[in-house]
């Protein structure tokens, strides 16, 4: 993480209660399981690895894992660790693949109904660890911009980290389910930003502004900036000429 972003993160005190920390680990793992990061019967990382990843203590991780066990999401095997439960799990949410320009526009429309509110809640609920994850993705985008490149993976990681900072796993799970759909629009949008009149710096500034509002706990500004950013991304891609999707 760059020194600038690190300074912003470290200036934000982490006042979350232990139960809130456990909730954050719980929702993070639940989002990854729902999104297919961990498949059925797959072993989860060890308590030590999870504690290091989420920057919490092992008792906090144990509390999160215990909740997942109570809800029959995972199962413990003595001496082996925790595994995603293999039978009786509902199928993960899925969406039809992107097949047309109209589908890209529909994806932007749907993102506008969930991501601005996710950013609002992120500003209200974020902690130092959540800010660090958002900042890490922003650093990757900053490096790519200096090299006159667009990294859709870092772009998506930024948006996903904000969804997870909302401490509402439905936002994160929805983005995970839409990852391949969002990637189509991000890739085309990224190509549109390249060239002699590069728009990369402007887009980076939009992301920085969203991060600043979340860091500062300014919920309404975070929502408005996320809404404006997604609209601007859509309009750059479509060059202001949206399709008529009337039935």
């Amino acid at each position: 993480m760059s020194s600038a972003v690190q300074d912003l993160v470290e200036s934000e005190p982490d006042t979350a209660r232990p139960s809130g920390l456990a909730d954050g680990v719980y929702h993070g793992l639940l989002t990854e399981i729902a999104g297919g990061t961990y498949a059925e019967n797959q072993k989860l990382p060890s308590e030590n690895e999870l504690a290091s990843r989420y920057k919490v203590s092992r008792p906090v991780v144990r509390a999160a894992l215990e909740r997942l066990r109570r809800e029959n999401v995972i199962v413990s095997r003595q001496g082996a660790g925790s595994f995603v439960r293999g039978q009786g799990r509902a199928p993960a949410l899925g969406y039809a693949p992107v097949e047309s320009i109209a589908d890209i526009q529909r994806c932007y429309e749907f993102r506008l109904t969930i991501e601005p509110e996710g950013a609002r809640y992120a500003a209200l609920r974020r902690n130092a660890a959540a800010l660090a994850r958002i900042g890490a993705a922003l650093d990757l985008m900053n490096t790519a911009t200096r090299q006159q490149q667009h990294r859709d993976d870092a772009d998506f990681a930024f948006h996903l980290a904000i969804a997870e900072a909302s401490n509402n796993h439905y936002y994160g799970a929805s983005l995970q389910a839409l990852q391949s759909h969002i990637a189509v629009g991000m890739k085309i949008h990224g190509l549109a930003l390249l060239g002699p009149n590069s728009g990369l710096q402007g887009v980076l500034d939009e992301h920085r502004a969203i991060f600043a509002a979340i860091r500062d706990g300014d919920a309404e500004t975070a929502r408005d900036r996320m809404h404006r950013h997604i609209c601007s991304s859509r309009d750059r891609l479509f060059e202001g000429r949206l399709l008529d999707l009337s039935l």
Side-chain angles (χ1 to χ4, degrees), residues 20 23-25 27-28 121-122 125 162-171:
D23 285 345
V25 178
H27 288 302
Y121 284 117
R125 299 170 179 170
I162 290 174
E164 291 173 341
S166 72
N167 198 24
N168 181 332
H169 64 277
Y170 292 105
Y171 287 118

Side-chain angles (χ1 to χ4, degrees), residues 25 29 38 45-62 65 128-130 132-133:
V25 178
L29 289 172
Y38 300 111
S46 68
E47 289 183 2
N48 283 334
E49 291 172 314
L50 291 172
S52 176
R53 177 193 302 178
Y54 287 97
K55 297 179 173 28
V56 298
S57 65
R58 289 181 63 188
V60 168
V61 171
R62 289 193 199 104
L65 293 175
R133 287 191 288 272

Side-chain angles (χ1 to χ4, degrees), residues 45-107:
S46 68
E47 289 183 2
N48 283 334
E49 291 172 314
L50 291 172
S52 176
R53 177 193 302 178
Y54 287 97
K55 297 179 173 28
V56 298
S57 65
R58 289 181 63 188
V60 168
V61 171
R62 289 193 199 104
L65 293 175
E66 177 56 31
R67 182 175 174 185
L68 290 170
R69 277 191 290 271
R70 288 199 309 268
E71 296 178 2
N72 292 320
V73 178
I74 66 173
V75 60
S76 293
R77 298 174 186 169
Q78 189 169 6
S82 298
F83 294 77
V84 177
R85 185 174 289 277
Q87 296 181 350
R89 293 176 65 238
L93 177 65
Y95 296 95
V98 172
E99 296 180 339
S100 65
I101 296 296
D103 283 345
I104 296 175
Q105 182 174 319
R106 292 184 181 103
C107 185

Side-chain angles (χ1 to χ4, degrees), residues 224-242:
D224 292 346
R225 288 177 178 174
M226 179 63 83
H227 188 278
R228 193 178 310 122
H229 164 63
I230 296 175
C231 283
S232 297
S233 173
R234 177 201 62 193
D235 293 344
R236 283 187 290 264
L237 191 155
F238 284 91
E239 298 181 337
R241 297 190 295 271
L242 296 179

Side-chain angles (χ1 to χ4, degrees), residues 2 28 45 50 80 103 120 138 160 168 200:
S2 69
L50 291 172
D103 283 345
R120 175 178 176 274
L138 189 59
L160 180 60
N168 181 332
L200 289 170

